Amino acid sequence: CGGGRTYWNTWISCEENGSKGQIYETYPDGSRKARQTILGTSGGNFESMAYDNQNRLKPTFYITNDNSSGELRRYTPFPDIVKDAEASGDYSHMLHTRDSGTFHYLELDYSNNKKTFVWTTSKTLGRASAKLHFPNSEGIDVRDGKLYFVSKIKKRLIILNLSQMTFVQESTNTGSFVGQPDQVKFMVGSENNNHRVLYFTEEGSGHNGIHGRYPNGRKLQILEAHHGGETTGLAFSPNKKHMYFAVQTSGILFDIWREDGLPFDGATLDIKYHSVH
């Protein structure tokens, strides 16, 4: 499972454990022990977390649930909790105080030409929508007011426009990307130089790899791993000159860098673009 970074630089660790998994906040600097958050409620097979804090006083947190009817949930902390955190710089209560926020669940609507969605308070409706349209959702990320997430079973990328309440979808099964999409990730800080590649890890293929997608939908292959097992744990170093990922079954961790010494969001890479099948 992937988890996700908070904007106050802790790490949310999602637990895949059938219907009993929970969601924890961990502290990479060692300042305190991991704590269970309220995001997991009664449990699930949780995969990844992303947030949208374009408005710092109205942040939202999104969680995927790797289950055939696993809902995509949104958590919105109450304004007083957010204001206290912003004023003090102490975010330790943001995801830990019970009854201090609201949960909503994604419901997609395909009934008109312009695909739309709503956030419903009904978990039942959210699970029904997931089962039909995005079973076993895994990777998720937010960039520029859009939420990106994948359904590994449908081999589908869904992009929500959070302000317009519309969405588009496309297949991830193109060219050399023949497996199932797993994690998705934008490179932190890369928005400053217009590097807008959405990176994917892969499972279910004979040669799982790392793939990318430009905003115009053009796909590219970064690498193939010939060691068996899904690629996972994708991360970049702070200076963006190193890409890290693991191959799960063989337990191998890779450190990748460019021979020209440039960061991964630097000048154009010599990459292999996918043909459309």
Side-chain angles (χ1 to χ4, degrees), residues 191-220:
E191 63 273 14
N192 297 327
N193 62 1
N194 207 35
H195 181 80
R196 300 181 182 276
V197 174
L198 179 67
Y199 293 89
F200 296 78
T201 62
E202 183 181 12
E203 64 175 289
S205 167
H207 300 291
N208 294 312
I210 306 294
H211 303 268
R213 176 193 182 276
Y214 285 109
N216 63 6
R218 192 178 191 186
K219 310 288 199 312
L220 59 136

Side-chain angles (χ1 to χ4, degrees), residues 7 52-60 82 86:
Y7 56 91
D52 177 20
N53 71 332
Q54 288 190 108
N55 184 337
R56 291 288 295 235
L57 295 179
K58 294 181 179 180
T60 46
V82 178
E86 289 296 325

Side-chain angles (χ1 to χ4, degrees), residues 10-276:
T10 60
W11 185 263
I12 299 300
S13 180
C14 296
E15 183 180 30
E16 286 188 286
N17 187 20
S19 62
K20 299 179 180 179
Q22 279 298 332
I23 300 172
Y24 299 85
E25 185 171 17
T26 66
Y27 302 84
D29 62 2
S31 60
R32 64 191 306 171
K33 293 181 179 180
R35 298 188 295 157
Q36 183 175 321
T37 71
I38 60 174
L39 298 175
T41 57
S42 60
N45 203 46
F46 299 115
E47 181 67 31
S48 297
M49 187 281 300
Y51 64 84
D52 177 20
N53 71 332
Q54 288 190 108
N55 184 337
R56 291 288 295 235
L57 295 179
K58 294 181 179 180
T60 46
F61 300 84
Y62 303 90
I63 305 290
T64 55
N65 190 349
D66 186 4
N67 183 284
S68 61
S69 57
E71 74 286 350
L72 193 155
R73 58 180 61 184
R74 182 187 74 178
Y75 177 69
T76 308
F78 288 154
D80 57 337
I81 295 289
V82 178
K83 288 179 181 178
D84 288 347
E86 289 296 325
S88 65
D90 178 6
Y91 295 87
S92 61
H93 301 291
M94 184 80 84
L95 305 177
H96 297 274
T97 306
R98 295 196 177 278
D99 302 318
S100 62
T102 56
F103 283 95
H104 290 84
Y105 308 94
L106 177 64
E107 188 176 10
L108 300 181
D109 184 359
Y110 288 79
S111 63
N112 52 55
N113 292 331
K114 189 176 184 181
K115 299 180 180 70
T116 60
F117 67 91
V118 296
W119 296 104
T120 175
T121 57
S122 170
K123 189 175 181 179
T124 299
L125 291 177
R127 288 177 63 83
S129 186
K131 185 174 184 178
L132 188 61
H133 303 301
F134 51 94
N136 297 89
S137 57
E138 294 220 21
I140 190 169
D141 208 346
V142 175
R143 173 68 66 90
D144 298 331
K146 293 181 179 179
L147 185 149
Y148 300 74
F149 74 100
V150 293
S151 164
K152 70 179 181 184
I153 299 300
K154 296 284 189 179
K155 296 185 179 180
R156 177 179 293 170
L157 170 67
I158 298 175
I159 307 171
L160 307 181
N161 187 313
L162 296 174
S163 61
Q164 296 180 12
M165 302 294 284
T166 59
F167 72 95
V168 295
Q169 68 181 44
E170 60 188 56
S171 172
T172 60
N173 196 203
T174 59
S176 57
F177 196 164
V178 297
Q180 297 173 327
D182 194 323
Q183 295 303 305
V184 297
K185 184 182 293 292
F186 283 105
M187 193 184 301
V188 175
S190 62
E191 63 273 14
N192 297 327
N193 62 1
N194 207 35
H195 181 80
R196 300 181 182 276
V197 174
L198 179 67
Y199 293 89
F200 296 78
T201 62
E202 183 181 12
E203 64 175 289
S205 167
H207 300 291
N208 294 312
I210 306 294
H211 303 268
R213 176 193 182 276
Y214 285 109
N216 63 6
R218 192 178 191 186
K219 310 288 199 312
L220 59 136
Q221 181 186 43
I222 309 297
L223 57 87
E224 284 184 345
H226 296 268
H227 293 271
E230 65 186 82
T231 51
T232 187
L234 179 65
F236 294 90
S237 63
N239 64 7
K240 309 186 195 71
K241 290 187 176 182
H242 292 262
M243 173 192 289
Y244 308 104
F245 74 94
V247 177
Q248 185 164 292
T249 303
S250 57
I252 300 175
L253 180 65
F254 289 87
D255 176 2
I256 310 295
W257 61 91
R258 291 176 55 163
E259 290 184 342
D260 59 14
L262 293 176
F264 275 89
D265 62 349
T268 302
L269 294 166
D270 182 14
I271 52 181
K272 177 181 177 182
Y273 288 95
H274 291 190
S275 60
V276 178

